[in-house]
Every structure is written in structure tokens, then in C-alpha cells.
């Protein structure tokens, strides 16, 4: 992947190229930043650049290998699942899902963790980087570079490492193999061990400029300028959000319906309806439940901002705006903080495998109380 294929991020690209030009490439770097800013795309472009990919003058062989993300000196580590029916003694590594990974990358380097779970057919399983990955990576990086240059190990979502793998990586970071560069792409860097964070050079990636998203929407999706401008504004620097908005079948339509239903049931103190709502949501997979709650959090924020009568501060679709016209007054200074805390608490509980039916019923009952605060 070339840097020219990355959406926006000219400052970060210039910095990475300068590292190579000056011969000051760190043995380990970690790309961090908000969702949809293109961290993985930047990581892939940097890996390709280190392995010889240039806008001009790249050998046909190198270009062909990198286009398929199958360069022998490029190694990937990412969270995977243990397929149903797999014997417990079977060691699972990223290589078991290499086909799905390379297929998804060839489609787009901009995708969500949830899309990756779907590609693996994870159902309700939670993915992680298993302990066995440690020996797998150590073996690969102990080999000499096949092309005589860098070896690159790109680790996507290192915060999902098993503790055993984390210790193996820590050892490799302390004594890195010759001409090896680790590129970590993290959504939640605070979850990594302090000892790992201290041994990588952190590079913070900013949200994508609205202008860059607007231009990409016109060039890649064929939108007219007015529509591209509206979508870019709603996306707020998040290319994934821009794509979601263009996808008529995306989950947000369902989440909006669930949000409206819950708020109406809570306002009407309809406990029977709330029980049915909780049971329906409990049937979702845990990852989907967390996505829904994050969507709820966003809608609470937008409804609160709507009360300030400053439309330029509100980022909603037409359907969301229509509901907010009458609902926004119920989200105010007296309850907005507690509602957000309630949502955050429920997200954590679901992530820790708490009973979803109980969690969502309790969540809904608390919402009755909070909506009445003025």
C-alpha cells in the first residue's frame, strides 16, 4: 500500500518518510488516534515503504507482493478466535486466518474490529492474540530477511494480547532482531503494559480533516460536492463513520430505532415494555451490544448539544435530527453526566461478561429515573 492511498494525514506521512530518509526509523512504533483516522492504513503504508514500495521506481516483484500483502518480510499479528469445535490442544495463531485477513485488507484498509469479527464468523466469541502467537512471531523474525532489507511485524490491536504473548513481545522489544521494525496499531494504548509502552515510539494520529474526507468521497464514491460536504461534517474526521452513513443497511438505523423505543418506554414508565426491550437486546452478541451503547452515548451528546440552539455544533443524520426535535429537552444539565456514566458502566459490564438481560433491564430502569431529572 502506498502513502498516496492514505486519506489525508499529510503531516503524519511526512514524518514517517523523514524517519526513513534520515535513517532514524525506531525499532518499534505505536500508531494511536481516534477511530476512523486511518491508523492501520498508515501502518500498512509505512510497512510497505520500509520494504521498498515507492510512488516510482518500485520493482514489479515487490509491488506485486505488497499489493496482495504477502511480502515474505511482512508479518502480521491480529486478534483471532478459536473456531468452534477446535480441540483445546490446538494452538491458534494469526496464520489460521491469513486468507480472511489478506482478503479484507485488499478490499479496504479502513475497517472496524466488528467487521473483522464478522469476516472470521466469530458469532459471540471475543477475539484475542493468543499465547501461541509468541513462538510463532519469534520464529519468523529469527529468520534472515529474504530481500536483504527490513523485516516488519505489524501488530493490530496489541491491547488484545494474551499475557504470555505480551511477555514474549516485551522480550523482542528489549532485544529486537536485526533490521526488524515493529509497527503497532492501537485503539486503546492505555491497556498495554507500561513496560511495552515505554519501549515503543508513540505516534499520535489526528482525525482526518473534513476537506480530505470530502475530497475522498467525491473521488472514490462519486458524491457531488454538497452531499460530500454534509457527510464529511457528520463523519467528524472518521472515515468509517462516513462509510456507515453511505451504507443504507448499516446498524445505526437499527440502533436509532432501539434508542427511540427505549426512551419512549422509559418516559412512559412502561416496565413490561422495558422487559421485552431488554430481552430483545440481550439476544444481540456482546460486541453488537457494546456498539449499540456507544451509539446511545453519541446520541445523548448530540441531543444535549441540540438544546444550545447551535446547529453547527450538532452532527446528526436527518432521521436522528427528526427525533431530537422533540426529545432533546429531556437531556439536560441535570442528567446528562449520569446518563453517560450509566452507559459507560454498562459497556464495561458487558465487556466483562455480565449477564446482558439483567444489565439492560437495570440500565432501562435507571433511565426512567434519569429522564425525569430537570
Amino acid at each position: 500500500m502506498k502513502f498516496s492511498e492514505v486519506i489525508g494525514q499529510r503531516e503524519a506521512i511526512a514524518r514517517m518518510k523523514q524517519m526513513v530518509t534520515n535513517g532514524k526509523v525506531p525499532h518499534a512504533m505505536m500508531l494511536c488516534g481516534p477511530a476512523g483516522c486511518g491508523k492501520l492504513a498508515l501502518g500498512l503504508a509505512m510497512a510497505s515503504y520500509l520494504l521498498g514500495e515507492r510512488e516510482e521506481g518500485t520493482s514489479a516483484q515487490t509491488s506485486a507482493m505488497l499489493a496482495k500483502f504477502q511480502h515474505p518480510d511482512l508479518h502480521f499479528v491480529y486478534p483471532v478466535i478459536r473456531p468452534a469445535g477446535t480441540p483445546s490442544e490446538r494452538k491458534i495463531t494469526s496464520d489460521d486466518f491469513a486468507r480472511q485477513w489478506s482478503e479484507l485488507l485488499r478490499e479496504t484498509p479502513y475497517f472496524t474490529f466488528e467487521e473483522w469479527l464478522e469476516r472470521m464468523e466469530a458469532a459471540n466469541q471475543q477475539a484475542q492474540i493468543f499465547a501461541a502467537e509468541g513462538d510463532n512471531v519469534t520464529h519468523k523474525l529469527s529468520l534472515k530477511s529474504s530481500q536483504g532489507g527490513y523485516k516488519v511485524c505489524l501488530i493490530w490491536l496489541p491491547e488484545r494480547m494474551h499475557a504470555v504473548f505480551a511477555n514474549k513481545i516485551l522480550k523482542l522489544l528489549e532485544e529486537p532482531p536485526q533490521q526488524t521494525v515493529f509497527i503497532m496499531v492501537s485503539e486503546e494504548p492505555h491497556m498495554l503494559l507500561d513496560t511495552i509502552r515505554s519501549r515503543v515510539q508513540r505516534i499520535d494520529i489526528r482525525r482526518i480533516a473534513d476537506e480530505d474526507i470530502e475530497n475522498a468521497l467525491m473521488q472514490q464514491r462519486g458524491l457531488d460536492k454538497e452531499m460530500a460536504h454534509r457527510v464529511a461534517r457528520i463523519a467528524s474526521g472518521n472515515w468509517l463513520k462516513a462509510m456507515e452513513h453511505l451504507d443504507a443497511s448499516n446498524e445505526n438505523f437499527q440502533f436509532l430505532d432501539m434508542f427511540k423505543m427505549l426512551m419512549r418506554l422509559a418516559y412512559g414508565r412502561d416496565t413490561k415494555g422495558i422487559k421485552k426491550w431488554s430481552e430483545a437486546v440481550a439476544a444481540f452478541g456482546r460486541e453488537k451490544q457494546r456498539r449499540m451503547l456507544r451509539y446511545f452515548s453519541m446520541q445523548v451528546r448530540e441531543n444535549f448539544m441540540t438544546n444550545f440552539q447551535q446547529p453547527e455544533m450538532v452532527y446528526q443524520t436527518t432521521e436522528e435530527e427528526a427525533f431530537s426535535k422533540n426529545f432533546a429537552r429531556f437531556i439536560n444539565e441535570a442528567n446528562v453526566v449520569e446518563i453517560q456514566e450509566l452507559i459507560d458502566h454498562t459497556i464495561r459490564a458487558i465487556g466483562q461478561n455480565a449477564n446482558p438481560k439483567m444489565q439492560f433491564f437495570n440500565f432501562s430502569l435507571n433511565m426512567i429515573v434519569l429522564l425525569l431529572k430537570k
Side-chain angles (χ1 to χ4, degrees):
M1 179 173 181
K2 298 177 181 178
F3 278 122
S4 60
E5 298 174 76
V6 176
I7 299 170
Q9 303 299 357
R10 284 177 286 276
E11 183 180 333
I13 291 171
R15 179 180 176 184
M16 291 179 176
K17 286 183 175 180
Q18 197 65 39
M19 288 177 177
V20 180
T21 301
N22 295 341
K24 295 183 178 179
V25 178
H27 74 278
M29 64 186 80
M30 182 166 64
L31 309 184
C32 310
C37 69
K39 299 182 292 297
L40 179 57
L42 279 166
L44 291 167
M46 181 59 170
S48 298
Y49 199 77
L50 290 169
L51 295 173
E53 181 73 278
R54 300 290 188 272
E55 300 302 328
E56 297 179 1
T58 308
S59 73
Q61 181 184 24
T62 297
S63 289
M65 291 188 294
L66 289 172
K68 296 179 180 179
F69 299 101
Q70 293 176 350
H71 192 290
D73 294 325
L74 176 59
H75 308 289
F76 290 108
V77 175
Y78 38 83
V80 293
I81 61 168
R82 176 176 291 278
T86 304
S88 58
E89 65 273 13
R90 169 80 160 78
K91 294 181 178 180
I92 302 296
T93 69
S94 300
D95 290 346
D96 290 296
F97 292 89
R99 177 182 59 80
Q100 294 92 327
W101 176 255
S102 59
E103 285 176 355
L104 186 54
L105 287 182
R106 288 199 294 272
E107 290 172 19
T108 176
Y110 295 85
F111 56 84
T112 64
F113 178 60
E114 289 73 26
E115 288 174 303
W116 173 233
L117 289 175
E118 184 177 343
R119 186 60 61 103
M120 290 191 292
E121 300 180 354
N124 291 332
Q125 295 188 65
Q126 297 196 47
Q128 66 170 307
I129 300 174
F130 289 101
E133 198 76 62
D135 291 336
N136 191 37
V137 171
T138 301
H139 171 70
K140 288 178 179 179
L141 297 181
S142 67
L143 303 175
K144 289 184 178 180
S145 166
S146 67
Q147 306 297 306
Y150 284 107
K151 292 175 291 182
V152 180
C153 180
L154 192 152
I155 304 177
W156 184 56
L157 304 184
E159 55 268 27
R160 290 181 175 267
M161 295 177 184
H162 186 280
V164 172
F165 176 70
N167 287 325
K168 287 285 181 71
I169 281 296
L170 179 58
K171 186 175 180 180
L172 288 172
L173 293 177
E174 291 172 339
E175 301 175 15
Q178 188 175 11
Q179 279 194 294
T180 298
V181 175
F182 291 91
I183 301 176
M184 298 185 184
V185 180
S186 177
E187 293 284 343
E188 300 175 289
H190 61 277
M191 293 181 65
L192 287 166
L193 295 174
D194 290 341
T195 46
I196 290 179
R197 293 205 306 268
S198 67
R199 285 168 174 77
V200 301
Q201 181 173 323
R202 176 168 172 161
I203 300 176
D204 288 301
I205 311 302
R206 299 178 181 178
R207 61 185 289 278
I208 305 173
D210 288 356
E211 181 182 356
D212 290 324
I213 289 185
E214 188 175 323
N215 289 334
L217 288 169
M218 290 189 289
Q219 294 168 10
Q220 297 182 21
R221 302 302 295 264
L223 271 62
D224 60 48
K225 187 171 182 61
E226 182 180 349
M227 183 61 175
H229 179 74
R230 178 179 177 84
V231 174
R233 188 173 178 278
I234 291 173
S236 189
N238 184 336
W239 179 254
L240 297 174
K241 192 174 179 182
M243 293 301 96
E244 285 178 1
H245 183 73
L246 296 180
D247 182 3
S249 64
N250 77 78
E251 286 181 324
N252 285 358
F253 285 100
Q254 181 185 18
F255 292 163
L256 176 59
D257 284 341
M258 299 305 288
F259 182 75
K260 292 193 291 187
M261 190 185 304
L262 172 62
M263 296 308 162
R264 286 166 177 158
L265 290 169
Y267 179 74
R269 305 182 193 183
D270 184 349
T271 54
K272 287 186 178 180
I274 280 175
K275 185 174 183 293
K276 290 181 179 179
W277 183 92
S278 302
E279 291 171 348
V281 172
F284 295 170
R286 290 185 182 275
E287 292 297 337
K288 184 174 180 178
Q289 289 165 357
R290 294 171 72 187
R291 292 197 301 275
M292 184 191 74
L293 288 167
R294 286 192 287 268
Y295 176 84
F296 284 10
S297 178
M298 179 186 70
Q299 286 307 309
V300 169
R301 182 265 178 201
E302 299 303 334
N303 277 275
F304 181 62
M305 297 307 295
T306 297
N307 290 323
F308 290 98
Q309 304 297 317
Q310 299 290 329
E312 69 278 2
M313 297 175 64
V314 179
Y315 300 88
Q316 289 183 304
T317 65
T318 303
E319 293 80 4
E320 291 164 350
E321 287 178 355
F323 179 67
S324 293
K325 284 181 181 178
N326 294 320
F327 175 71
R329 60 194 175 92
F330 294 101
I331 306 297
N332 51 61
E333 292 88 344
N335 62 15
V336 65
V337 172
E338 289 183 83
I339 291 176
Q340 291 288 16
E341 288 176 347
L342 174 63
I343 293 173
D344 290 342
H345 170 78
T346 309
I347 290 174
R348 287 194 299 273
I350 293 299
Q352 293 167 359
N353 294 324
N355 184 302
K357 189 178 296 186
M358 292 178 61
Q359 286 297 318
F360 282 106
F361 187 62
N362 182 63
F363 173 79
S364 306
L365 293 179
N366 277 291
M367 196 61 69
I368 293 176
V369 178
L370 293 173
L371 283 183
L372 295 176
K373 284 197 171 186
K374 295 181 181 179

